[in-house]
PDB file of all heavy atoms in Angstrom:
ATOM      1  N   ILE A 110      -8.338  42.866 -53.125  1.00 86.00           N
ATOM      2  CA  ILE A 110      -9.194  43.923 -53.840  1.00 86.00           C
ATOM      3  C   ILE A 110      -8.294  45.155 -54.120  1.00 86.00           C
ATOM      4  O   ILE A 110      -8.430  45.690 -55.262  1.00 86.00           O
ATOM      5  CB  ILE A 110     -10.372  44.262 -52.983  1.00 86.00           C
ATOM      6  CG1 ILE A 110     -11.298  42.998 -52.892  1.00 86.00           C
ATOM      7  CG2 ILE A 110     -11.114  45.438 -53.518  1.00 86.00           C
ATOM      8  CD1 ILE A 110     -12.469  43.128 -51.957  1.00 86.00           C
ATOM      9  N   GLN A 111      -7.509  45.603 -53.227  1.00 85.00           N
ATOM     10  CA  GLN A 111      -6.785  46.804 -53.363  1.00 85.00           C
ATOM     11  C   GLN A 111      -5.611  46.719 -54.367  1.00 85.00           C
ATOM     12  O   GLN A 111      -5.397  47.679 -55.165  1.00 85.00           O
ATOM     13  CB  GLN A 111      -6.040  47.181 -51.965  1.00 85.00           C
ATOM     14  CG  GLN A 111      -7.127  47.666 -50.986  1.00 85.00           C
ATOM     15  CD  GLN A 111      -6.471  47.896 -49.623  1.00 85.00           C
ATOM     16  OE1 GLN A 111      -5.486  47.344 -49.292  1.00 85.00           O
ATOM     17  NE2 GLN A 111      -7.066  48.822 -48.837  1.00 85.00           N
ATOM     18  N   ASN A 112      -5.149  45.643 -54.519  1.00 87.00           N
ATOM     19  CA  ASN A 112      -3.902  45.305 -55.358  1.00 87.00           C
ATOM     20  C   ASN A 112      -4.155  44.571 -56.695  1.00 87.00           C
ATOM     21  O   ASN A 112      -3.136  44.365 -57.331  1.00 87.00           O
ATOM     22  CB  ASN A 112      -2.801  44.615 -54.489  1.00 87.00           C
ATOM     23  CG  ASN A 112      -2.387  45.474 -53.330  1.00 87.00           C
ATOM     24  OD1 ASN A 112      -1.878  46.549 -53.460  1.00 87.00           O
ATOM     25  ND2 ASN A 112      -2.588  44.882 -52.127  1.00 87.00           N
ATOM     26  N   ASN A 113      -5.306  44.289 -56.939  1.00 86.00           N
ATOM     27  CA  ASN A 113      -5.694  43.562 -58.217  1.00 86.00           C
ATOM     28  C   ASN A 113      -6.796  44.223 -58.922  1.00 86.00           C
ATOM     29  O   ASN A 113      -7.969  43.863 -58.708  1.00 86.00           O
ATOM     30  CB  ASN A 113      -5.987  42.096 -58.000  1.00 86.00           C
ATOM     31  CG  ASN A 113      -4.752  41.349 -57.390  1.00 86.00           C
ATOM     32  OD1 ASN A 113      -3.944  40.872 -58.071  1.00 86.00           O
ATOM     33  ND2 ASN A 113      -4.705  41.257 -56.047  1.00 86.00           N
ATOM     34  N   PRO A 114      -6.479  45.311 -59.821  1.00 85.00           N
ATOM     35  CA  PRO A 114      -7.557  46.051 -60.401  1.00 85.00           C
ATOM     36  C   PRO A 114      -8.412  45.092 -61.285  1.00 85.00           C
ATOM     37  O   PRO A 114      -7.819  44.122 -61.945  1.00 85.00           O
ATOM     38  CB  PRO A 114      -6.725  46.909 -61.331  1.00 85.00           C
ATOM     39  CG  PRO A 114      -5.405  47.166 -60.651  1.00 85.00           C
ATOM     40  CD  PRO A 114      -5.152  45.844 -60.095  1.00 85.00           C
ATOM     41  N   LEU A 115      -9.675  45.310 -61.404  1.00 85.00           N
ATOM     42  CA  LEU A 115     -10.639  44.540 -62.054  1.00 85.00           C
ATOM     43  C   LEU A 115     -11.300  45.373 -63.246  1.00 85.00           C
ATOM     44  O   LEU A 115     -11.356  46.484 -63.121  1.00 85.00           O
ATOM     45  CB  LEU A 115     -11.813  44.024 -61.129  1.00 85.00           C
ATOM     46  CG  LEU A 115     -11.413  43.208 -59.948  1.00 85.00           C
ATOM     47  CD1 LEU A 115     -12.566  42.916 -59.092  1.00 85.00           C
ATOM     48  CD2 LEU A 115     -10.795  41.829 -60.394  1.00 85.00           C
ATOM     49  N   SER A 116     -11.612  44.622 -64.325  1.00 90.00           N
ATOM     50  CA  SER A 116     -12.360  45.299 -65.330  1.00 90.00           C
ATOM     51  C   SER A 116     -13.739  45.579 -64.765  1.00 90.00           C
ATOM     52  O   SER A 116     -14.155  45.147 -63.665  1.00 90.00           O
ATOM     53  CB  SER A 116     -12.579  44.305 -66.495  1.00 90.00           C
ATOM     54  OG  SER A 116     -13.329  43.207 -66.152  1.00 90.00           O
ATOM     55  N   ASN A 117     -14.404  46.498 -65.435  1.00 89.00           N
ATOM     56  CA  ASN A 117     -15.750  46.938 -64.889  1.00 89.00           C
ATOM     57  C   ASN A 117     -16.694  45.831 -64.740  1.00 89.00           C
ATOM     58  O   ASN A 117     -17.446  45.848 -63.754  1.00 89.00           O
ATOM     59  CB  ASN A 117     -16.291  48.032 -65.861  1.00 89.00           C
ATOM     60  CG  ASN A 117     -15.585  49.309 -65.912  1.00 89.00           C
ATOM     61  OD1 ASN A 117     -14.692  49.586 -64.870  1.00 89.00           O
ATOM     62  ND2 ASN A 117     -15.820  50.224 -66.714  1.00 89.00           N
ATOM     63  N   ASP A 118     -16.680  44.865 -65.682  1.00 90.00           N
ATOM     64  CA  ASP A 118     -17.671  43.740 -65.640  1.00 90.00           C
ATOM     65  C   ASP A 118     -17.228  42.920 -64.463  1.00 90.00           C
ATOM     66  O   ASP A 118     -18.227  42.408 -63.711  1.00 90.00           O
ATOM     67  CB  ASP A 118     -17.569  42.900 -66.984  1.00 90.00           C
ATOM     68  CG  ASP A 118     -18.200  43.637 -68.118  1.00 90.00           C
ATOM     69  OD1 ASP A 118     -18.879  44.602 -67.766  1.00 90.00           O
ATOM     70  OD2 ASP A 118     -17.983  43.243 -69.222  1.00 90.00           O
ATOM     71  N   LYS A 119     -16.042  42.526 -64.209  1.00 88.00           N
ATOM     72  CA  LYS A 119     -15.518  41.720 -63.106  1.00 88.00           C
ATOM     73  C   LYS A 119     -15.887  42.450 -61.794  1.00 88.00           C
ATOM     74  O   LYS A 119     -16.216  41.825 -60.776  1.00 88.00           O
ATOM     75  CB  LYS A 119     -14.166  41.282 -63.261  1.00 88.00           C
ATOM     76  CG  LYS A 119     -13.948  40.332 -64.399  1.00 88.00           C
ATOM     77  CD  LYS A 119     -12.443  39.811 -64.384  1.00 88.00           C
ATOM     78  CE  LYS A 119     -12.333  38.734 -65.546  1.00 88.00           C
ATOM     79  NZ  LYS A 119     -10.879  38.292 -65.458  1.00 88.00           N
ATOM     80  N   HIS A 120     -15.633  43.796 -61.757  1.00 87.00           N
ATOM     81  CA  HIS A 120     -15.904  44.524 -60.605  1.00 87.00           C
ATOM     82  C   HIS A 120     -17.294  44.364 -60.163  1.00 87.00           C
ATOM     83  O   HIS A 120     -17.592  44.183 -59.021  1.00 87.00           O
ATOM     84  CB  HIS A 120     -15.528  46.006 -60.951  1.00 87.00           C
ATOM     85  CG  HIS A 120     -15.866  46.945 -59.769  1.00 87.00           C
ATOM     86  ND1 HIS A 120     -14.980  47.337 -58.820  1.00 87.00           N
ATOM     87  CD2 HIS A 120     -17.097  47.627 -59.472  1.00 87.00           C
ATOM     88  CE1 HIS A 120     -15.549  48.155 -57.928  1.00 87.00           C
ATOM     89  NE2 HIS A 120     -16.774  48.405 -58.376  1.00 87.00           N
ATOM     90  N   MET A 121     -18.256  44.628 -61.161  1.00 90.00           N
ATOM     91  CA  MET A 121     -19.647  44.495 -60.764  1.00 90.00           C
ATOM     92  C   MET A 121     -20.075  43.141 -60.424  1.00 90.00           C
ATOM     93  O   MET A 121     -21.062  42.974 -59.463  1.00 90.00           O
ATOM     94  CB  MET A 121     -20.519  45.029 -62.085  1.00 90.00           C
ATOM     95  CG  MET A 121     -20.289  46.569 -62.368  1.00 90.00           C
ATOM     96  SD  MET A 121     -20.556  47.631 -60.832  1.00 90.00           S
ATOM     97  CE  MET A 121     -22.293  47.265 -60.532  1.00 90.00           C
ATOM     98  N   THR A 122     -19.484  42.070 -61.115  1.00 88.00           N
ATOM     99  CA  THR A 122     -19.813  40.684 -60.668  1.00 88.00           C
ATOM    100  C   THR A 122     -19.420  40.419 -59.271  1.00 88.00           C
ATOM    101  O   THR A 122     -20.147  39.766 -58.457  1.00 88.00           O
ATOM    102  CB  THR A 122     -19.127  39.769 -61.703  1.00 88.00           C
ATOM    103  OG1 THR A 122     -19.522  39.988 -63.023  1.00 88.00           O
ATOM    104  CG2 THR A 122     -19.350  38.180 -61.240  1.00 88.00           C
ATOM    105  N   LEU A 123     -18.223  40.813 -58.897  1.00 87.00           N
ATOM    106  CA  LEU A 123     -17.729  40.673 -57.546  1.00 87.00           C
ATOM    107  C   LEU A 123     -18.574  41.436 -56.494  1.00 87.00           C
ATOM    108  O   LEU A 123     -18.867  40.881 -55.367  1.00 87.00           O
ATOM    109  CB  LEU A 123     -16.292  41.129 -57.331  1.00 87.00           C
ATOM    110  CG  LEU A 123     -15.624  40.925 -55.975  1.00 87.00           C
ATOM    111  CD1 LEU A 123     -15.759  39.484 -55.456  1.00 87.00           C
ATOM    112  CD2 LEU A 123     -14.258  41.394 -55.969  1.00 87.00           C
TER     113      LEU A 123
END
Side-chain angles (χ1 to χ4, degrees):
I110 291 171
Q111 291 174 331
N112 296 298
N113 294 275
L115 300 173
S116 66
N117 289 348
D118 289 342
K119 289 184 177 180
H120 175 92
M121 295 307 296
T122 299
L123 178 58

